[in-house]
Amino acid sequence: MPPKANSSNDVDVLHSDDTDGENIPWKNRMTNMATNKFQSLRIFIYNKEFQTFLGNSSSFWIKTAIYYFFFYVCLGLFYSGMVAVFGAIISRESPTYWYHNSEMNDGGTVYIGMGFRPMPTIDDTLITIYSDFKSQNDTVSSLRNYRIEFLTQYDTTYLQDCSPTEPASELQASRSCRFSWDDIVTSESHPCSEQNFYGYTKGQPCVLVKLNKIYGWTPDVGNIIPSVANATGQPVLPVDQREDNIYITCNGKEASDRQSVGAMVYYSLLHPLGYPYYGGIPYYFFPYMNSKEHVEPFVLVQFTGLPMEQEIEVECRSWAPNIQQRSEGTTSRGMVTFTLLRTAKLGSSRK
C-alpha cells in the first residue's frame, strides 16, 4: 500500500498491511521458508522447464561421463603398464639395493636387529609363566606357531649341508643350508621340546633368540672372543673360538635383575646339548640370500632358576665384529630386551 499523508502534522506515515512478514507468525514463516528451500532444491535436481538435471543439460552429463570413462580407462592402462615394466626389470630373487646400499645403512654401518619368541602380544615384551595349563598354552602358542611356520623345512629339494668347507656363500642359487628346529631340539625328551611344553610347565621357560634377516650380511672376521669372555665371566671354549662365529649371551638388564635371573642353559648349533654361558651360530650359515626353505639360525635360552612373583628384565646381546650394540629409547640394535615373570597365579586372575 502506498504511503498516505497525515494532514494533522504533514508527516508521512507508512502503514503496513497485516500480511507483512513481521506480522506473520513465526511458525508460518518457518514453514514458508522450508517450502521455498524444498522448491529450490527440487528445481535444482530437475528443472522441467529447461530440461536440466543438477543444473546442467543431459548432453552435458553424457559428454562428462564419456570423458571420465576414457580418462580412467587410460589411467588404469598406464598404471598396469608401469607395474608390468617394474615387474619385468626388478628381480624377485634379490633386492635392488641391499646391505650398505640400502636404507639400513646409517653412516656406513648396518645395524643388526634381534628378536625373541614367544611374544604373546606384539606390543608387549612381557613373558609370563603362569601356573595353569591353559594360560601356559596361550603363552607358548606364539613360539609353537613360529616353529611350525618359520623353523621347519618341508621341501628337501632345495637343501644342502653347510660346513666350513661348503658355506652358505657358495651354495647354488635358490639353495639353503639344511637346518631346522630339530637340529637344536634333537629329541622329545629335550627340555625345550613340544612334549615338555618348552619348559613352561616346570617354570623353566625356553626363549628363542635370533638375528633378524638381512640380505647379504655375513659376520666379519675379528677378535671378538675377549668381549664374549668379559660378558660371560667365562672363557670361550677352544672348540668354539672362531673369530667369525656369532655368539649370543643373556643377562639381567639392571644389577637387581642380574642378581635374580638365575642359571641359564643355551641350546645352539655350537652346543645342541646345552652350555651354561653362551650360545653360538656358526659363520657358515650366512649370508641370507632369500632362498627357498631358508631357516634363520637361532639360540634357545632356558631360564632354570627364576624366582617367583618377580619381574626380571633380560637383555640378550649378539656378538660379532660387525654387530654394533646400541640402545636408544625403545630401539635396540644388536640386542633385544624382554621381561620374565614367574607366578603362581592363574592367567585368568590377571585379566
Side-chain angles (χ1 to χ4, degrees):
M1 176 183 294
K4 297 180 179 180
N6 190 331
S7 57
S8 62
N9 52 13
D10 294 332
V11 177
D12 291 339
V13 179
L14 183 63
H15 298 275
S16 301
D17 288 336
D18 292 336
T19 59
D20 286 348
E22 60 184 7
N23 294 325
I24 298 176
W26 178 84
K27 182 176 181 180
N28 293 344
R29 276 186 292 165
M30 295 303 295
T31 302
N32 292 340
M33 184 181 299
T35 302
N36 293 337
K37 293 289 185 182
F38 176 76
Q39 291 292 340
S40 299
L41 178 63
R42 183 182 63 80
I43 293 173
F44 172 74
I45 295 176
Y46 178 69
N47 191 320
K48 187 175 182 181
E49 180 181 357
F50 294 100
Q51 298 292 305
T52 60
F53 176 70
L54 297 179
N56 291 286
S57 64
S58 58
S59 61
F60 169 84
W61 289 116
I62 293 173
K63 293 176 183 178
T64 301
I66 294 174
Y67 169 80
Y68 279 105
F69 172 77
F70 284 104
F71 173 78
Y72 283 111
V73 166
C74 293
L75 185 63
L77 292 174
F78 174 78
Y79 174 78
S80 301
M82 291 297 98
V83 171
V85 169
F86 282 112
I89 63 176
I90 295 178
S91 172
R92 299 189 181 186
E93 302 298 329
S94 61
T96 303
Y97 302 101
W98 51 280
Y99 201 26
H100 284 294
N101 295 322
S102 70
E103 290 295 325
M104 293 186 295
N105 184 10
D106 184 5
T109 302
V110 175
Y111 292 96
I112 309 300
M114 296 183 66
F116 70 93
R117 293 292 186 281
M119 186 181 288
T121 57
I122 194 172
D123 58 347
D124 193 3
T125 60
L126 175 64
I127 303 174
T128 306
I129 302 92
Y130 294 107
S131 60
D132 61 299
F133 179 80
K134 181 180 182 302
S135 299
Q136 292 169 358
N137 187 58
D138 292 340
T139 300
V140 303
S141 61
S142 168
L143 177 56
R144 180 186 296 115
N145 294 338
Y146 188 83
R147 171 181 64 83
I148 294 172
E149 185 171 357
F150 297 107
L151 304 180
T152 305
Q153 294 175 317
Y154 296 99
D155 189 352
T156 60
T157 306
Y158 302 97
L159 303 182
Q160 288 184 217
D161 292 324
C162 291
S163 65
T165 57
E166 296 182 0
S169 58
E170 298 181 6
L171 291 180
Q172 301 177 14
S174 300
R175 300 283 178 168
S176 298
C177 291
R178 193 185 308 274
F179 170 74
S180 67
W181 171 270
D182 294 335
D183 290 297
I184 304 296
V185 182
T186 54
S187 67
E188 294 182 356
S189 61
H190 191 283
C192 296
S193 67
E194 171 72 26
Q195 288 69 24
N196 283 324
F197 224 63
Y198 307 96
Y200 283 76
T201 54
K202 297 180 179 179
Q204 300 179 348
C206 296
V207 178
L208 181 147
V209 180
K210 66 181 185 67
L211 300 181
N212 293 341
K213 295 177 182 177
I214 295 184
Y215 187 91
W217 181 86
T218 56
D220 286 346
V221 177
N223 190 18
I224 200 68
I225 305 300
S227 298
V228 178
N230 182 62
T232 62
Q234 297 290 330
V236 177
L237 296 178
V239 69
D240 299 332
Q241 291 188 12
R242 284 281 314 199
E243 293 185 343
D244 43 4
N245 281 343
I246 299 172
Y247 301 90
I248 303 292
T249 63
C250 297
N251 208 340
K253 185 174 182 180
E254 306 296 340
S256 58
D257 299 318
R258 290 190 286 271
Q259 292 175 0
S260 304
V261 69
M264 290 171 278
V265 180
Y266 297 82
Y267 299 98
S268 66
L269 282 168
L270 293 186
H271 297 280
L273 299 180
Y275 189 65
Y277 301 116
Y278 59 83
I281 302 173
Y283 68 94
Y284 50 79
F285 280 88
F286 296 89
Y288 163 68
M289 301 300 288
N290 194 32
S291 51
K292 296 180 180 179
E293 297 295 325
H294 174 84
V295 170
E296 192 74 5
F298 60 89
V299 173
L300 283 173
V301 186
Q302 185 179 27
F303 297 85
T304 59
L306 291 176
M308 298 294 292
E309 310 301 340
Q310 180 179 348
E311 289 191 2
I312 299 176
E313 195 167 9
V314 178
E315 185 177 74
C316 293
R317 296 172 177 260
S318 56
W319 302 87
N322 55 338
I323 293 181
Q324 305 293 325
Q325 298 174 352
R326 292 177 58 185
S327 180
E328 300 174 351
T330 58
T331 302
S332 296
R333 298 167 176 178
M335 62 180 69
V336 66
T337 302
F338 52 88
T339 304
L340 296 174
L341 172 61
R342 184 185 176 195
T343 178
K345 297 178 182 179
L346 303 181
S348 58
S349 66
R350 296 177 59 88
K351 296 180 181 179

